[in-house]
Amino acid sequence: MATMSPLVIAVDAMGGDHAPGVLVEGAAIARERFPQVRFLFFGDEAKIAPLVKGQALLSDCAEIVHTATAISADEKPGVAMRRGKGTSMWLACEAVRDGTAQAAVSAGNTGALMAIAMFLLRTSPAINRPAIASFVPTMRGESVMLDLGANVGCDERNLVEFAFMGAAFARASLGLPKPRVALLNIGTEDLKGNEAVRGAAQLLRDTPDLPFEFTGFIEGNGIAQGQVDVIVSDGFAGNIALKTQEGTARLVSAYLAATFRRSIWSKLGYLLARPALQALRERLDPNRYNGGAFLGLNGLVVKSHGGTNAVGFAAAIGIAADLALSGFVTRILEDLKRVAPADSIGGEAPGAVEQEVAEKS
């Protein structure tokens, strides 16, 4: 029987609301799906070691690298850059940079994680700006959406890069050989939208042999319908769309709960409908879709929601493992050669990352 090559995931074991307990438990759950994974836990060894010892699935695949310091939840990106060296978050990203791990996962401060990851890993030679990508539930299953907040303003080139990255993400995580990709817009007609969106659409239409199916524009109401596999937008619109969808799911749940409390008959109806409602609750559970991948870096970093449970953190680890096993970083470089020669599409100029972090701090 052939043996699988080991895959090392670096875990910021001190990031998040419920660290390190939920994170260690999540790692154990993730190993059921990925038995070849080994974990590097960065954090307080006195707190982590007993938890690892209590998980049989981690007994032969976990190593703890001790550090007494961690990035706080309210740390500004600039401060995290200046004071973060040696923290659990910094060391997890550093392990990816040095090749000790193939991916890093953290439930810590999003801004700090993006700043540290950009500083240590840099943007890929073919990418001008990284993007945050994650899953959204739809009537047909799951779709990928990006950017979810890393870039407020984007030009047409950024959106084209996001389309390639999102398609590669969908291939790796959803197993789609040729994902359907669309640009989020205020209408589906060619003349709708701002200059960046229209320009990106034209550039994608003019690119031969795309590794995905570009379908044009999609409106906000088409996201939940599952009209496409990948929705591309700038971080401003993408974040609003995602938060609106999450809020709508909570609104529907609140309406259902209020309806079933209205009378004795509605309460009886709840008892009859409870199995179906439980299935709905599980389908809309945000932990199922937890994990935002930082795409476009010279390495893989996945951000978990800070308040997630063990199942949610396992999902974030699953995203990291899927991307690492697919050769995501290399595939992006190859795909983007279809748009422009390699020497014409470099990443951020030296110092650009530090300047952007300083402006956000």
Side-chain angles (χ1 to χ4, degrees):
M1 184 176 179
T3 57
M4 292 178 288
S5 300
L7 171 64
V8 181
I9 304 283
V11 177
D12 168 18
M14 307 311 293
D17 300 343
H18 310 296
V22 160
L23 313 187
V24 173
E25 185 181 352
I29 294 173
R31 195 158 192 262
E32 294 182 21
R33 180 185 169 197
F34 299 98
Q36 73 272 45
V37 169
R38 301 185 61 82
F39 294 100
L40 283 176
F41 291 103
F42 293 91
D44 189 337
E45 186 171 11
K47 295 180 179 179
I48 301 169
L51 298 170
V52 170
K53 187 176 181 180
Q55 296 289 343
L57 288 172
L58 300 179
S59 61
D60 61 345
C61 67
E63 178 183 345
I64 302 170
V65 179
H66 176 72
T67 178
T69 56
I71 300 292
S72 66
D74 57 353
E75 198 93 72
K76 290 185 177 180
V79 176
M81 285 287 295
R82 292 191 295 271
R83 303 179 184 176
K85 191 172 184 178
T87 62
S88 55
M89 182 183 290
W90 184 288
L91 293 176
C93 292
E94 200 170 54
V96 177
R97 183 199 66 183
D98 297 342
T100 308
Q102 282 72 61
V105 183
S106 173
N109 182 316
T110 302
L113 181 62
M114 177 60 86
I116 290 171
M118 287 180 65
F119 177 77
L120 291 175
L121 300 177
R122 304 289 178 170
T123 52
S124 167
I127 301 296
N128 286 299
R129 286 181 176 272
I132 301 175
S134 190
F135 299 115
V136 292
T138 75
M139 296 178 185
R140 296 186 178 184
E142 296 174 348
S143 294
V144 172
M145 188 156 66
L146 74 164
D147 175 31
L148 297 179
N151 306 279
V152 173
C154 295
D155 60 23
E156 63 185 53
R157 176 69 203 191
N158 301 144
L159 295 176
V160 168
E161 292 171 358
F162 295 171
F164 276 84
M165 291 192 293
F169 183 89
R171 286 196 299 270
S173 298
L174 299 178
L176 301 173
K178 196 162 185 178
R180 297 164 300 157
V181 178
L183 295 165
L184 185 62
N185 201 354
I186 59 173
T188 58
E189 299 86 353
D190 290 345
L191 296 178
K192 290 290 184 70
N194 58 33
E195 184 177 346
V197 172
R198 297 196 308 272
Q202 190 59 52
L203 185 53
L204 288 169
R205 293 189 188 102
D206 293 342
T207 302
D209 302 322
L210 286 172
F212 53 86
E213 178 186 350
F214 177 59
T215 65
F217 299 134
I218 183 174
E219 295 183 86
N221 59 358
I223 297 174
Q225 294 174 13
Q227 292 180 357
V228 296
D229 305 306
V230 180
I231 303 101
V232 177
S233 76
D234 61 43
F236 185 85
N239 189 274
I240 290 175
L242 178 67
K243 298 296 175 59
T244 300
Q245 190 176 44
E246 292 175 349
T248 300
R250 286 193 290 268
L251 177 66
V252 171
S253 297
Y255 277 168
L256 283 172
T259 299
F260 282 120
R261 289 195 299 264
R262 289 177 61 183
S263 69
I264 187 64
W265 297 110
S266 60
K267 291 177 181 178
L268 179 60
Y270 167 76
L271 293 176
L272 295 174
R274 186 160 53 180
L277 292 171
Q278 180 60 32
L280 175 63
R281 186 178 296 111
E282 292 174 359
R283 182 70 182 272
L284 296 176
D285 182 3
N287 291 299
R288 288 189 56 188
Y289 310 98
N290 181 53
F294 292 175
L295 307 183
L297 302 175
N298 289 310
L300 298 173
V301 177
V302 174
K303 170 65 174 69
S304 165
H305 192 286
T308 191
N309 60 20
V311 172
F313 196 72
I317 292 174
I319 291 174
D322 281 333
L323 293 177
L325 292 170
S326 73
F328 178 85
V329 175
T330 302
R331 180 62 183 269
I332 286 298
L333 295 176
E334 293 299 318
D335 285 351
L336 279 170
K337 289 179 181 178
R338 302 167 188 261
V339 185
D343 59 358
S344 68
I345 52 174
E348 297 283 0
V353 172
E354 290 87 340
Q355 180 179 351
E356 183 171 350
V357 169
E359 290 173 351
K360 292 181 178 180
S361 63

